[in-house]
């Protein structure tokens, strides 16, 4: 698990990290990463409008949250958006670059900060404004975990059914074997009786 994944796994820690970035006037990278992460889980029908909104917020010149990315990446992304070719991986390349940048810059600074130390000591937060995007991402991840749990339960039920079927089959086989043995014993007894009768004659 990467440092960023460890941070967003703890909702309160993610909020502390976000506030740390706000105070340093450097929150746009984390904000974009969260929105791009959330975007990947949207229905296909929602992606076109949402991709355009994200592009306007983070990639238009003079945008309040404009990201510092290279010209070619911006151009490629703009072409994709304009062609209405949005998909779950529309922002993935830039998102990965932003993640690497945060893990070599903002996150190490945060992990050494007083904000981080205070949170780890008290496990409490004093963030004035909750960032909904942080919560949304964590809700999505929890939904995925629930789906995985449901799949595991289904697998367990299937395994139990298979075990029951196997047990039933084994019991049936054992019963059949016992019946066959009894029949064989009866046949042997009959043969012995016949032999004794012949001898008596």
């Amino acid at each position: 698990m990467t440092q960023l994944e460890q941070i967003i796994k703890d909702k309160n820690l993610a909020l502390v990290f976000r506030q740390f970035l706000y105070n340093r006037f450097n929150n746009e990278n984390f904000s974009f990463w969260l929105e791009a992460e959330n975007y990947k889980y949207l229905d296909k029908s929602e992606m076109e409008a949402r991709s355009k909104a994200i592009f306007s917020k983070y990639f238009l010149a003079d945008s309040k949250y404009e990201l510092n990315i290279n010209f070619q990446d911006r151009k490629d992304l703009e072409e994709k958006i304009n062609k209405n070719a949005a998909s779950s991986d529309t922002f993935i390349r830039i998102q990965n670059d932003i993640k690497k940048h945060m893990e070599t810059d903002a996150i190490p600074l945060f992990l050494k900060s007083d904000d981080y130390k205070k949170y780890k000591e008290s496990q409490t937060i004093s963030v004035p404004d909750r960032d909904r995007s942080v919560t949304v991402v964590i809700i999505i991840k929890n939904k995925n975990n629930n789906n995985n749990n449901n799949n595991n339960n289904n697998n367990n039920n299937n395994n139990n059914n298979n075990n029951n079927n196997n047990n039933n089959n084994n019991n049936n086989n054992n019963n059949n074997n016992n019946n066959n043995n009894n029949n064989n014993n009866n046949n042997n007894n009959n043969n012995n009786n016949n032999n004794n009768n012949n001898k008596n004659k």
Side-chain angles (χ1 to χ4, degrees):
M1 185 180 295
T2 66
Q3 290 177 325
L4 181 57
E5 288 167 343
Q6 289 175 342
I7 288 173
I8 65 169
K9 184 179 178 182
D10 181 340
K11 179 174 64 177
N12 287 336
L13 181 58
L15 292 169
V16 174
F17 179 51
R18 182 60 183 265
Q19 188 62 33
F20 171 80
L21 295 174
Y22 270 130
N23 293 338
R24 293 175 57 84
F25 305 100
N26 186 29
N27 61 291
E28 64 276 0
N29 283 342
F30 188 45
S31 178
F32 163 74
W33 189 91
L34 288 169
E35 291 202 50
E37 186 71 7
N38 189 42
Y39 167 85
K40 291 188 292 188
Y41 297 96
L42 294 176
D43 291 333
K44 180 69 175 175
S45 59
E46 300 175 277
M47 284 184 173
E48 182 180 333
R50 189 63 189 144
S51 64
K52 290 179 178 178
I54 293 174
F55 182 83
S56 296
K57 183 175 180 180
Y58 296 102
F59 299 99
L60 286 182
D62 299 326
S63 166
K64 180 180 178 181
Y65 299 101
E66 184 181 5
L67 295 178
N68 183 21
I69 64 171
N70 67 62
F71 172 79
Q72 190 59 49
D73 283 345
R74 188 189 302 271
K75 181 180 177 182
D76 292 344
L77 179 61
E78 185 173 12
E79 288 178 357
K80 187 181 291 187
I81 298 295
N82 288 339
K83 289 178 181 177
N84 294 326
S87 64
S88 59
D89 63 352
T90 295
F91 300 102
I92 193 70
R93 179 177 174 181
I94 297 173
Q95 188 186 15
N96 286 339
D97 287 343
I98 292 294
K99 179 180 178 181
K100 289 176 184 176
H101 179 68
M102 284 194 292
E103 291 187 336
T104 58
D105 179 34
I107 292 177
L109 289 175
F110 172 64
L111 296 179
K112 294 176 183 177
S113 70
D114 289 339
D115 294 339
Y116 176 76
K117 291 175 184 176
K118 287 177 183 177
Y119 173 73
K120 295 303 285 186
E121 289 171 1
S122 65
Q123 295 294 310
T124 58
I125 60 173
S126 56
V127 179
D129 296 316
R130 293 179 62 84
D131 184 343
R132 291 184 59 193
S133 59
V134 174
T135 306
V136 169
V137 169
I138 291 171
I139 288 172
I140 288 172
K141 289 184 179 295
N142 286 339
K143 283 183 180 178
N144 287 341
N145 288 336
N146 289 338
N147 288 337
N148 288 337
N149 288 337
N150 289 337
N151 288 337
N152 288 337
N153 288 337
N154 288 337
N155 287 337
N156 287 337
N157 288 337
N158 288 337
N159 287 337
N160 287 337
N161 288 337
N162 287 337
N163 287 337
N164 288 337
N165 288 337
N166 287 338
N167 288 337
N168 288 337
N169 288 336
N170 288 337
N171 288 336
N172 288 337
N173 288 337
N174 287 336
N175 288 336
N176 288 335
N177 288 336
N178 288 336
N179 288 336
N180 288 336
N181 287 336
N182 288 336
N183 288 336
N184 288 336
N185 287 335
N186 288 336
N187 287 336
N188 288 335
N189 288 335
N190 288 336
N191 288 335
N192 288 335
N193 287 336
N194 289 334
N195 288 336
N196 288 332
N197 288 335
N198 288 333
K199 284 180 183 178
N200 291 331
K201 289 178 179 178

